[in-house]
Amino acid sequence: MKIIRSIREMQQYANELKMSGKSIGFVPTMGFLHEGHESLMKRAKTNNDIVIVSIFVNPLQFGPNEDFDRYPRDEEHDILVAQKNNIDILFIPQVEEMYPNDRSITMDITKRTDVLCGRSRVGHFAGVITVLTKLFHLTLPSQAYFGLKDAQQFAVVDALVNDLNFPIELVPVTTVREQDGLAKSSRNVYLSEPERQEATALYQGLQFGRQLVETGTRDPDYIVNEVERFINSQTRGKIDYVELLSYPDLTPVDEVNEQVILAVAVFYEHARLIDNLIFDQNGKLTLDR
Ligand code: AMP
C-alpha cells in the first residue's frame, strides 16, 4: 500500500493511473476507521482496479462550537485497517496544504440543506462539497463510495455531481450497525456506558416508525410524533430532530406515498448521533445493499 501525503504527488499518480486505463474507486473518510468504512472499502475493491482511501478531518465542515479539535484520530490504526483491506493508496493530505490561505471561492448549496443536519450545522455541507470537489480532482475516481448513515450527505453530493457534471458514479452503501442496531460511528467512543446502552433508541425508534408505515400509516406528522415519543421514553439523550422527508430531494411530504427518509439526530453529553432509514410507501427498505 502506498501512503501519499502530498497533493501534487497524489494528482500525478492518479493521472498516471487514469492514463494507463485503470478504474479508480475512491472512499473519502475522516479516519478513525471502523467496520462502516471497511464496508465501503470492500465494495470499492470488488468494482475497481485501484482503490484510494483518503483520511482528512476537514476543518471546513465543522462549526465553531463543534468537535474538530477533539474529533478522534488514530493514524497508525487506520493504516493497519487500510492494509488489511488491500487498499492501493492511502491519501492523507495536511490541512495546511489543502487550505493554504484565504479562499477566493466558496460553494453555495440551494437545495437539500435547509432540513435535517443542515438546519443545526450551518455551513457543514458547503464544507463537505468543497473538500470533495478538491478530493475528486486529486484522485480522479470513476466511482466514489458513501455510506447511507450520512444520507443527507449522499443527497447533497449527488446534487454536486449532477449539477457540476463530475464524471463520477456515486455508490451508496448500507449502514453498518453494532449487534444491537446502533449505527457504527467514530463518535460512538464518546458515549458513556449508560448512554451507549440507551443509544439503541435511535435505531429502534426508526424501526418503530418504519413499521407504522408497513402497517398502513401514511401521515408523516403522526409518525414523527410517535418516533419522538418512543425515543424520549427510551433515552435521556436530547432529540435534535426527527424528520420524515422525500428522498433524495429532502422535501416535505403530505403523506408517505414515495421513497422517504425517516431520520433522527440525538445529542448526548459529548456526541451527537445521527441515523436514518430510507423506505417506500410500504415500509420496505430501499437503497439497502
Ligand atoms: P466519516 O469518516 O464519518 O466521514 O465517514 C466516511 C464515510 O464512511 C462516509 O461516506 C460515511 O457515510 C461512511 N460511514 C460512516 N459510518 C458508516 C456506517 N456505520 N456504515 C456505513 N458507512 C458508514
Side-chain angles (χ1 to χ4, degrees):
M1 183 176 78
K2 200 171 163 64
I3 299 178
I4 298 183
R5 295 178 191 274
S6 128
I7 282 182
R8 180 203 273 271
E9 190 186 346
M10 182 69 256
Q11 201 162 34
Q12 273 174 356
Y13 200 66
N15 252 321
E16 281 165 26
L17 290 167
K18 202 86 193 164
M19 301 275 271
S20 65
K22 304 267 193 235
S23 66
I24 301 175
F26 178 45
V27 181
T29 81
M30 297 203 300
F32 213 67
L33 302 176
H34 53 67
E35 286 166 41
H37 301 112
E38 288 187 77
S39 162
L40 273 57
M41 295 182 206
K42 290 188 169 84
R43 285 289 295 281
K45 276 304 283 186
T46 56
N47 293 344
N48 295 276
D49 300 325
I50 297 286
V51 173
I52 304 177
V53 172
S54 68
I55 296 176
F56 183 62
V57 184
N58 174 33
L60 279 196
Q61 69 190 67
F62 289 79
N65 299 316
E66 294 184 358
D67 55 352
F68 175 72
D69 287 332
R70 53 182 196 85
Y71 192 83
R73 293 161 168 90
D74 188 346
E75 191 179 295
E76 232 170 275
H77 163 82
D78 290 347
I79 290 171
L80 292 177
V81 173
Q83 271 167 343
K84 190 180 88 187
N85 285 279
N86 298 314
I87 295 310
D88 301 280
I89 301 164
L90 189 59
F91 178 42
I92 314 179
Q94 303 307 302
V95 173
E96 300 73 31
E97 212 195 348
M98 287 289 273
Y99 303 118
N101 40 39
D102 281 349
R103 291 177 301 139
S104 325
I105 294 181
T106 56
M107 298 179 84
D108 189 23
I109 311 169
T110 50
K111 285 183 180 160
R112 303 183 175 182
T113 52
D114 56 346
V115 291
L116 306 176
C117 293
R119 224 197 290 271
S120 53
R121 303 192 70 188
V122 176
H124 169 71
F125 289 110
V128 168
I129 63 166
T130 302
V131 78
L132 285 175
T133 297
K134 291 167 74 78
L135 291 171
F136 288 162
H137 286 137
L138 296 173
T139 58
L140 305 178
S142 31
Q143 291 191 326
Y145 292 76
F146 291 88
L148 285 172
K149 181 173 99 58
D150 302 284
Q152 184 173 19
Q153 170 170 279
F154 188 84
V156 172
V157 179
D158 173 62
L160 170 75
V161 164
N162 285 320
D163 277 21
L164 300 189
N165 301 103
F166 281 87
I168 300 173
E169 182 193 348
L170 299 182
V171 182
V173 179
T174 307
T175 301
V176 176
R177 300 177 178 283
E178 304 287 354
Q179 279 206 333
D180 62 5
L182 176 68
K184 290 198 184 250
S185 164
S186 306
R187 289 185 170 101
N188 289 350
V189 293
Y190 290 129
L191 299 173
S192 68
E193 190 46 41
E195 285 179 337
R196 169 63 190 85
Q197 301 293 326
E198 293 177 15
T200 54
L202 278 78
Y203 181 60
Q204 286 168 0
L206 292 171
Q207 285 290 19
F208 176 56
R210 186 187 65 76
Q211 281 156 11
L212 288 174
V213 175
E214 211 169 39
T215 52
T217 307
R218 293 283 174 270
D219 178 358
D221 293 340
Y222 178 80
I223 296 163
V224 165
N225 282 334
E226 286 297 296
V227 172
E228 282 180 352
R229 217 152 55 99
F230 178 91
I231 293 176
N232 281 328
S233 74
Q234 300 293 312
T235 179
R236 282 155 291 179
K238 187 176 157 301
I239 293 177
D240 181 10
Y241 63 74
V242 175
E243 285 187 66
L244 194 158
L245 301 165
S246 69
Y247 192 85
D249 282 338
L250 303 181
T251 51
V253 294
D254 293 333
E255 56 177 53
V256 180
N257 56 16
E258 60 187 296
Q259 176 170 276
V260 293
I261 179 169
L262 178 59
V264 304
V266 174
F267 286 109
Y268 287 97
E269 193 176 351
H270 297 296
R272 176 178 169 281
L273 302 188
I274 58 171
D275 201 351
N276 71 82
L277 292 176
I278 297 170
F279 48 84
D280 65 13
Q281 65 275 16
N282 301 315
K284 185 175 173 306
L285 292 173
T286 47
L287 297 187
D288 251 20
R289 58 195 111 152

